[in-house]
Every structure is written in C-alpha cells, then in structure tokens.
Amino acid sequence: MPPLLNPPDGSAPQAGSPQETRPLVEITGLGHSFPDGWDALDGVNLTIAAGEYISLIGPNGSGKTTLAKHLNGLLKPTVGRVVVAGMDTLHVSVAELARHVGYVFQNPDHQIFSPSVREELSFGPRVQGVPPAEVERRVEEEMAALGLSALAERPPAILSPGLRRRVAIASVLTTRPDLLILDEPNAGLDAQEQEDVFRRVAAYNAAGHAVVLISHDMRLVLRWSTRCLLLSEGRIIADGKPDAVLSDASALERAGMRPPVLARLIQALAPYGMPAAELTASAVGQAYLNLLGGPQ
Amino acid sequence: MYEPGRSWLHRADPRLKLALAVSIAVVLLSYNNVVFMLLALALTVGTLRLAGISGQRLKAIWTILLPVAVLIPVLWPVFYHSGPVLLTWWKLKLTAWAVAQGIAASARVVTLGFLSAAVLLTTDMRALLRGLVHLGLPYQGALTVTISISYIPRIQRTFEQVTEAQMARGFDLSSGGFLGRARARIPVLVAALVSTFRSAETLSRALECRGFGRTDARRTSLYEIHWRPTDTRIAVACGLVIVVLLSIRFATGFGAHPLLPR
C-alpha cells in the first residue's frame, strides 16, 4: 500500500511537498447501477489531487451524490474502480476510508446524536483512535473557528438549523480527512454563517487537503472552488475552471441548466467585442468599461 | 407502500379489503394446524403474486419478517414439551408437536404480515382514508393512521441515511459481538429518532397551516370510493368460506391440534 496521505499525527501535508502531486483519488470507468435498474453513473473517469477544491454541479439526479458516496465507500462500483489514498474502495470498509475521507451530509440531523457539542465534535476522532489530548486540541480549534465555543456543553439537537449545520461540519473537520466532501453545506446558513464556514473550509484546503463541494449555488462554486465538474445523466460532461465550465452554454444546456447571469451578460455582449472575463461582478464590470473605452 | 395495479384486489373496495383481512386473521388465530397454516401462507402469497405484486417487493417483506419467522420455531420447543419425543439433548426435549406448533405459529405470523401487506400494497392511501372514514373513524384519526403508514418507508430511509452518516464518520456497525453491535447502534437510533420527531413536528405544523383540524365547516372530499356489485360478490364468496372454516373449526374441533386433524 502506498504511504498514507494523512500522517498519523493528524497534521496536514505541507504545501509543496511531493505528496501533493500524488493523486488522492483515482476513478476509472466508474459505473453504478442501483438494484431498481437505474444507471446513476456511467463511464466516470476522474483524478483528484491533494489540495484541490472541486465543485460538483448538475441537476438533481445527475449523479453528484452517488459519485461522492463512492469516494468514501458508502457505494461500491458496479463497474470500474475507485482508488482512494491507495486503497481500492471495493476491498476496504467505510470505517477504514473514513480516516481519509470526511463526508458532511445534506441533513445535519442525520449525524448529530451526542448530548453536547463538544462530544459530537470529539466522536469522529475518538472512534478513529486519535489520542485524547489531540482530540481535545482539534475540538477546541474547530469550535473556535466555527463560533461554537460558547455552545460547547449545549445539546446540538436543540440548536438552530444554522448552528446544527456548523456542528455537523466541525464534527467532520475534527477527523482531519485528506478529502472533505460537503454535500449542499449552505442550506440553513445565513450570509455571515456561510462566510465563516467557507472561510474555515478554504483554510483547511489551503493546508493541503482536498475538498469536494456539491452545490446548486453557482456563486459559491465560482467563489471557492478551483475546478468544476458538470454532471449530467451520470456522466461528467465538463471539467475545468469554474469560470470556463459555467460559461460553456452548450454543456450547461445539455445538463438542463443555464449559465449564471454574468456569463449570459458576457455572451450577450460578445458580438460587440466583450472579451471573456472571470465571472465576478468587478471583473465583468472592468471588462465592460474596457469595452466602452472608459477608465482602466 | 402502494404498488399501483388493475387486479381484482386493487379494484376491491378498501372497506371490503379491511373486513376480509380482519376475518382471515380471526380464522388464522382459530386454527393451529401446521398444514392448514402453510396452505394459508401459500394462498396469501399466491394471491399477492396474482395481483401483480412484484417478487422483489414480496422478498423485501419476507426479509422484514424473517427474524421472527426463524425465532418462533427455534424458541417454541423450549417452552412446549407435549407429544412424541424426537430428540433429547441436555435439558432440552424436542417433540414432534412442538416442532409442528412452532412452524404453525411462525407461518401464522408471516401470513398475518403478508395479509396486512396485501391491504397496504394494493390500496391507494386516499382510498384507505376514505374507507376508514366510511367505517366510522373520525377524519383526524383516519388521516393519522394513513400518514403513519405512509411514513414507514420514509422512516426506513431516515434510518438508512443516518446509518450511512455514522459509518462515514468511521463508526463500524458490522463488527464486534452482539452486545458491541447493539451498542454501536445507539448513535444511529438517537439521530434517527430525533430526525423522525423533528419531521413529525414539521408535518403537524404544515397540516395546521393548511387548515387541518377546522371543525366549523363540513369537510368535502375530492376523492371518493364506491362499492360495486363485484365487491358484494367477493364479500359473499369469501364470507361463506370464512364462515365454513370457522364452523368446521369450532363445531368439529378440526385444526385445533398442531399436527393431528383434531
């Protein structure tokens, strides 16, 4: 077995180390058919390197969650192969893969059960055999990062939806996974909470951990991810920088989606000489001013 | 749970199906004979297959009933010692009647399970609701019953999702001894119950917001059920068979013994 990507002491791989270049996930010819005959995934090939921030987009039923569940072994390939941290997911348990892949589910209530926030956050690393002092350190760090310190002894089940969401994310972050999967993490979060959560995730990513974000919110995809995969009917139909994928009108149309409003604006102004631009208000605004010959 | 279809069982009035299910349950509880019980089980499963219920669905029901179906014949000989002895081991005595009674009791429970499934798999919840109301149950009560039934698959799905979520955090639910595995289920149970209670509360509030519980106006129904002449014919035919079976059982004593005719 190749060396583990996540060192046993829980520290993150150092930026620039040779580990960053080794693929964390290698998926070849992945297909998945459910018992009722539905082919949810078909011929998916994908490589994820440590430190990548990938967004999975596509309409409901396109296979985003099914693909993500293959990354931690909750679903096993019916065709093809999924290798995570050097392990073929077909031959290892979900518990073993959980040491490398953390999954934040759509509904936080599905994972919250402990009598206090502190215990909820320590549950993951404890079952993974992390030494108590290290568990405590991680719990304090995540509670501070996500604004949960004042609620440490409160039962998470009675917190507000936004706080429960933060507890769910923090409780996965304490396991220090090499790959963090976030399935629609912004539901129930207000603007400030979203900012806090995504800043923490960005910091975690900057420390060399890979992140997979499943979202229907294109603003989040554009702002945070560095690579975007567009899924349609169980296939990856576009893979590239978020700006490029979300400006690919024909691919989006095939998936039954529309480009974001800024991409549509650039497209509408293209006959007048509007150049391609990053899909941010300031970049598009600047490109428009350039087009008009205004101030730089 | 409803599996749409056009069979006679699907088209039968829900009141008839409920009455038949209760009457057949009375017959099943009256008889103890193992052969009778196995025939009843075969007839029930055969009727469901003829009604177009898929083998996959029947297998799923069988999977739920399996632990009980196995446990009853295994435990029965421990408490029942009448009849010719087949085998003696340590303090345990296995008798022919105990084996027959165990199998009969197991077949009865499984048949009752499939009987309930026969009603639920072939009856649209709207029809069942109207059926219960026509049988005299208050609308609120009938709606509670039908919502509870509709929620069974949803609760099952919640349990699956919670199990997945805990496994994804590194919890190993499949290894260890019986006690260890039972203890490992606690996080799943707590999270699933909290989640279920929360959705039940949300549902009740949503119903209230839609005017549920108003008593100052007469309730009308968009969906209505109608008793057809065919329902009368089925009721008469099945009713006769049930009366004959109960008469034979109580007038002659036939079927009271697990193995012997009487």
Side-chain angles (χ1 to χ4, degrees):
Chain A
M1 189 169 40
L4 299 179
L5 284 141
N6 198 349
D9 65 357
S11 61
Q14 293 304 302
S17 72
Q19 287 175 335
E20 269 192 46
T21 54
R22 186 182 303 137
L24 174 61
V25 176
E26 287 174 283
I27 298 176
T28 38
L30 172 64
H32 189 92
S33 303
F34 282 102
D36 62 3
W38 178 41
D39 296 324
L41 291 176
D42 182 22
V44 172
N45 294 299
L46 175 65
T47 303
I48 301 175
E52 279 198 283
Y53 198 139
I54 296 177
S55 50
L56 288 184
I57 61 166
N60 287 334
S62 58
K64 303 183 296 294
T65 299
T66 305
L67 175 58
K69 282 184 177 177
H70 277 85
L71 301 176
N72 70 342
L74 276 174
L75 290 175
K76 306 287 185 190
T78 47
V79 182
R81 195 159 176 254
V82 178
V83 178
V84 176
M87 297 177 286
D88 188 331
T89 61
L90 210 54
H91 307 301
V92 282
S93 67
V94 179
E96 180 59 35
L97 285 164
R99 293 175 185 279
H100 304 278
V101 183
Y103 198 124
V104 181
F105 282 73
Q106 276 184 37
N107 187 346
D109 295 340
H110 288 159
Q111 60 184 77
I112 286 173
F113 75 97
S114 298
S116 72
V117 169
R118 183 186 298 283
E119 284 185 54
E120 189 66 43
L121 265 62
S122 60
F123 172 79
R126 253 192 314 110
V127 294
Q128 291 181 12
V130 175
E134 171 64 15
V135 173
E136 188 58 26
R137 196 187 64 76
R138 292 184 191 178
V139 169
E140 293 299 334
E141 192 179 311
E142 294 310 327
M143 285 198 301
L146 289 163
L148 297 167
S149 300
L151 307 164
E153 307 310 325
R154 295 273 297 277
I158 61 161
L159 299 177
S160 70
L163 286 171
R164 292 206 299 277
R165 169 80 57 190
R166 280 196 264 172
V167 170
I169 293 169
S171 67
V172 172
L173 280 169
T174 52
T175 64
R176 298 286 185 263
D178 299 312
L179 171 61
L180 174 68
I181 302 169
L182 301 160
D183 196 347
E184 292 286 346
N186 52 320
L189 296 177
D190 64 26
Q192 188 55 51
E193 286 172 332
Q194 274 191 32
E195 187 67 23
D196 294 346
V197 164
F198 279 94
R199 276 190 188 283
R200 173 66 192 116
V201 172
Y204 190 70
N205 171 244
H209 303 98
V211 175
V212 169
L213 166 68
I214 300 174
S215 185
H216 289 293
D217 190 331
M218 297 308 135
R219 286 167 306 173
L220 291 178
V221 168
L222 284 165
R223 177 159 178 209
W224 298 106
S225 67
T226 51
R227 181 181 170 197
C228 178
L229 305 176
L230 171 61
L231 273 86
S232 173
E233 295 176 352
R235 289 172 170 272
I236 296 174
I237 61 167
D239 178 355
K241 286 191 180 297
D243 291 298
V245 172
L246 291 175
S247 302
D248 187 344
S250 71
L252 288 167
E253 196 180 334
R254 273 168 63 202
M257 296 166 71
R258 291 177 76 194
V261 66
L262 287 175
R264 295 206 302 274
L265 181 65
I266 293 171
Q267 206 177 356
L269 293 173
Y272 305 99
M274 177 80 166
E278 248 184 72
L279 296 181
T280 59
S282 57
V284 173
Q286 188 59 54
Y288 184 61
L289 288 175
N290 292 345
L291 180 67
L292 295 177
Q296 296 298 300
Chain B
M1 290 177 81
Y2 175 56
E3 202 168 297
R6 295 291 303 156
S7 73
W8 70 269
L9 204 52
H10 282 89
R11 279 178 289 150
D13 190 285
R15 289 164 287 186
L16 173 65
K17 283 189 264 191
L18 286 169
L20 281 180
V22 172
S23 313
I24 295 169
V26 170
V27 174
L28 291 173
L29 292 168
S30 310
Y31 278 75
N32 283 321
N33 189 275
V34 64
V35 178
F36 178 88
M37 219 54 83
L38 289 172
L39 280 174
L41 175 59
L43 194 67
T44 310
V45 173
T47 307
L48 278 166
R49 280 299 284 146
L50 286 176
I53 302 301
S54 66
Q56 200 182 358
R57 186 57 82 88
L58 293 179
K59 199 176 150 196
I61 297 166
W62 171 242
T63 311
I64 297 168
L65 295 169
L66 189 64
V68 183
V70 172
L71 209 61
I72 293 174
V74 168
L75 288 180
W76 209 277
V78 178
F79 305 104
Y80 192 92
H81 300 118
S82 304
V85 178
L86 296 175
L87 190 74
T88 309
W89 179 71
W90 191 49
K91 285 180 184 174
L92 292 176
K93 197 165 66 172
L94 190 68
T95 68
W97 296 355
V99 171
Q101 183 76 67
I103 297 172
S106 169
R108 181 194 287 133
V109 170
V110 174
T111 310
L112 287 170
F114 278 114
L115 202 60
S116 317
V119 177
L120 300 177
L121 291 171
T122 64
T123 314
D124 186 327
M125 278 302 126
R126 290 171 302 173
L128 188 64
L129 176 66
R130 295 310 300 159
L132 290 170
V133 169
H134 282 296
L135 286 171
L137 205 66
Y139 180 80
Q140 278 86 344
L143 187 68
T144 307
V145 171
T146 50
I147 286 178
S148 308
I149 293 166
S150 314
Y151 258 62
I152 293 170
R154 190 168 157 178
I155 292 170
Q156 191 185 349
R157 181 74 195 119
T158 302
F159 265 86
E160 285 168 9
Q161 287 172 331
V162 169
T163 305
E164 283 186 350
Q166 302 301 9
M167 282 167 69
R169 295 170 76 186
F171 224 39
D172 194 351
L173 296 167
S174 54
S175 62
F178 177 76
L179 269 180
R181 269 187 289 176
R183 209 176 294 124
R185 295 270 157 190
I186 292 173
V188 174
L189 205 63
V190 173
L193 284 176
V194 168
S195 197
T196 306
F197 288 147
R198 187 164 275 134
S199 53
E201 195 187 340
T202 309
L203 176 70
S204 64
R205 287 191 179 163
L207 282 171
E208 275 179 283
C209 292
R210 291 161 74 183
F212 182 73
R214 266 189 72 182
T215 50
D216 56 337
R218 195 179 154 268
R219 173 173 282 280
T220 58
S221 177
L222 187 64
Y223 185 90
E224 195 47 279
I225 51 172
H226 302 283
W227 186 272
R228 304 160 308 144
T230 316
D231 293 318
T232 310
R233 286 194 282 275
I234 296 169
V236 170
C238 294
L240 273 174
V241 174
I242 287 164
V243 167
V244 168
L245 285 173
L246 288 175
S247 305
I248 291 172
R249 166 68 188 83
F250 290 109
T252 69
F254 176 82
H257 193 278
L259 207 54
L260 305 174
R262 63 186 70 192

